Amino acid sequence: MRQSSLILAALATVPAAVSAAGTLGFALGNTLPDGSCKMQADYESDFDALKSVSTLVRTYSSSSCNTAQQILPAAAAKGFKVVLGVWPDTDDSYNLDKTALQSALSDSGNAGAVYAITVGSEALYRGSLTAQALLSKIKDMQSTFPSMKIGTADSWNKFQDGTADPIIQGGVKLILANAFSYWQGQTTANSSHSYLDDLNQAFGHVQTVADSLDIEIWNGETGWPTDGGTNYESAMAGTQNAATFYQQGVCAALAWGFNVFYFEAFDEPSKPPSIGTNGESADETHWGAYTADRVAKFPMSC
């Protein structure tokens, strides 16, 4: 497998997490099992549960549940770094998150707990923004926070097929490429091969298009639903299947120098049902590597 030099160049700048070449982080929700918003103490409990495996998390909105204001002091207290999220799909959501960040980052202690800010989560995949429109908002965020690392997250194929080329060439500092073998309907036996091949395609295209540009690229999301989740085509939910994918896919990616965010840290029982690309209802409440009570479902050492 061809490995991007962009990944390797970034490794020295990220928090240590596992005894492998790459760095592991976790996607983290902002609500408790009953649907109420997490507060600083709740995030501190999250970090206590995760700290033996990782000291890095990513979020999706900074204003929803006052996430930025609550998570950053918790991260600072527990020695974690946070990738904060901005939802740019509408001007209202973008401005709300921008204002929330300006408020939270006015505290230098909070600012020190920020690893990066991502503007957008699969906005290109959903078609809610064009690459140029998304780039404009990324640049606005970079001008607002010039000392911060600003980027975006999207599906791996949007970084592979040319859709995101204007962003790659537009001075963005961080790219998170999401890759789910599960959502491609892969069997457990083929899931790791499919996952690693997707990363290779996306990272290789970014490297080619970026040329000498200074871009840090991560696997922004990957994971597998555990017991209680729904099946998708040939992809079977189950804790043992999730553990197999983690060991054979995620651990392999880390060993080869890929940086990975696992989706997600904890189950979120309050999430509403979603609709998969096959038009069928899909449960998203059982994707955690840990239960909602912060108990690990399978070993996460590699």
Side-chain angles (χ1 to χ4, degrees):
M1 173 172 288
R2 182 173 151 221
Q3 186 172 337
S4 172
S5 61
L6 297 176
I7 312 161
L8 298 175
L11 291 177
T13 69
V14 296
V18 295
S19 55
T23 296
L24 177 69
F26 284 92
L28 186 63
N30 60 6
T31 59
L32 294 168
D34 64 3
S36 61
C37 293
K38 288 181 180 178
M39 306 300 286
Q40 179 178 338
D42 301 308
Y43 287 115
E44 290 186 9
S45 295
D46 287 348
F47 296 150
D48 284 338
L50 295 173
K51 65 185 178 183
S52 65
V53 183
S54 177
T55 56
L56 179 68
V57 297
R58 63 167 297 204
T59 64
Y60 294 87
S61 170
S62 294
S63 59
S64 174
C65 279
N66 203 18
T67 297
Q69 200 70 253
Q70 296 298 328
I71 197 172
L72 291 177
K78 296 295 182 176
F80 271 65
K81 293 287 188 179
V82 182
V83 177
L84 294 164
V86 172
W87 202 258
D89 297 44
T90 68
D91 288 342
D92 285 346
S93 64
Y94 177 79
N95 289 329
L96 282 171
D97 280 344
K98 181 178 177 180
T99 299
L101 287 172
Q102 288 172 315
S103 175
L105 298 182
S106 64
D107 184 317
S108 61
N110 284 350
V114 178
Y115 182 73
I117 298 169
T118 53
V119 180
S121 178
E122 299 191 342
L124 300 180
Y125 177 77
R126 290 190 306 276
S128 53
L129 290 173
T130 65
Q132 291 290 357
L134 179 56
L135 178 61
S136 176
K137 291 188 174 181
I138 294 170
K139 287 185 172 181
D140 176 72
M141 192 62 61
Q142 188 69 76
S143 68
T144 304
F145 303 104
S147 64
M148 293 288 175
K149 188 183 302 179
I150 312 293
T152 192
D154 222 294
S155 178
W156 72 273
N157 57 312
K158 297 305 173 184
F159 294 113
Q160 179 272 335
D161 66 9
T163 303
D165 283 3
I167 293 170
I168 298 168
Q169 297 171 320
V172 171
K173 299 300 183 184
L174 176 69
I175 284 175
L176 305 185
N178 302 342
F180 287 91
S181 291
Y182 170 84
W183 287 119
Q184 291 180 303
Q186 298 289 338
T187 63
T188 306
N190 196 51
S191 61
S192 297
H193 171 79
S194 172
Y195 162 63
L196 295 168
D197 183 61
D198 291 347
L199 291 186
N200 185 52
Q201 291 186 57
F203 284 35
H205 183 81
V206 171
Q207 184 180 30
T208 299
V209 173
D211 193 16
S212 61
L213 295 177
D214 180 21
I215 300 178
E216 183 179 329
I217 180 167
W218 287 60
N219 173 204
E221 290 179 352
T222 195
W224 201 275
T226 57
D227 291 349
T230 50
N231 302 328
Y232 184 77
E233 297 176 358
S234 296
M236 300 290 109
T239 301
Q240 184 54 56
N241 288 343
T244 298
F245 175 74
Y246 184 89
Q247 288 297 320
Q248 296 181 1
V250 174
C251 287
L254 292 168
W256 290 337
F258 292 108
N259 300 320
V260 179
F261 279 104
Y262 191 82
F263 183 89
E264 57 184 330
F266 307 104
D267 284 346
E268 295 188 80
S270 63
K271 271 189 173 181
S274 62
I275 302 298
T277 56
N278 60 359
E280 298 179 4
S281 178
D283 176 272
E284 290 197 346
T285 65
H286 296 86
W287 280 77
Y290 295 74
T291 67
D293 295 325
R294 306 185 180 97
V295 177
K297 298 180 185 179
F298 50 81
M300 275 164 281
S301 58
C302 291

